[in-house]
Amino acid sequence: MSATDIEISYDNVADVLYVFNKRYNKEITVDISVNADILVRLDESKENVVGLTIESFSRVFPEYKGFSDFHLMEKFETVLGFLNKSHIVHA
């Protein structure tokens, strides 16, 4: 997976960050709540992490408050690593 496979968008009104691997269909995912603020999206086989939703983003990651989507992509190398290590979500 490369950075071009990842879509990051931030809704500043709702304060929600969306991270998604564009190689997968957004409509066919299984959602797992990690905690009150973080939702992990798996593909339908539950084999691959294909996205994250982070609510209350500016509270969870205050150091990134006010960043543009472009700058978030640059800063979120850890998200890319997380998506590449999808086995950590399997129970």
Side-chain angles (χ1 to χ4, degrees):
M1 174 178 17
S2 71
T4 58
D5 294 329
I6 301 300
E7 174 185 320
I8 291 183
S9 64
Y10 175 67
D11 179 337
N12 62 355
V13 174
D15 192 25
V16 177
L17 182 77
Y18 303 95
V19 181
F20 197 77
N21 184 332
K22 294 186 278 188
R23 294 185 301 175
Y24 292 88
N25 182 346
K26 286 183 184 180
E27 305 301 318
I28 307 174
T29 60
V30 177
D31 301 338
I32 297 176
S33 181
V34 174
N35 62 33
D37 298 311
I38 299 175
L39 182 76
V40 174
R41 298 184 184 282
L42 303 175
D43 66 0
E44 64 184 327
S45 70
K46 299 181 186 175
E47 294 288 322
N48 300 293
V49 174
V50 298
L52 296 170
T53 300
I54 304 172
E55 297 179 355
S56 303
F57 180 73
S58 61
R59 182 177 54 76
V60 175
F61 291 99
E63 64 272 24
Y64 296 140
K65 187 174 182 172
F67 279 49
S68 69
D69 291 354
F70 174 78
H71 288 109
L72 287 171
M73 175 60 94
E74 287 183 334
K75 297 294 182 185
F76 259 72
E77 291 177 26
T78 55
V79 172
L80 295 175
F82 180 83
L83 291 173
N84 281 321
K85 293 178 179 20
S86 61
H87 64 278
I88 65 175
V89 174
H90 295 127

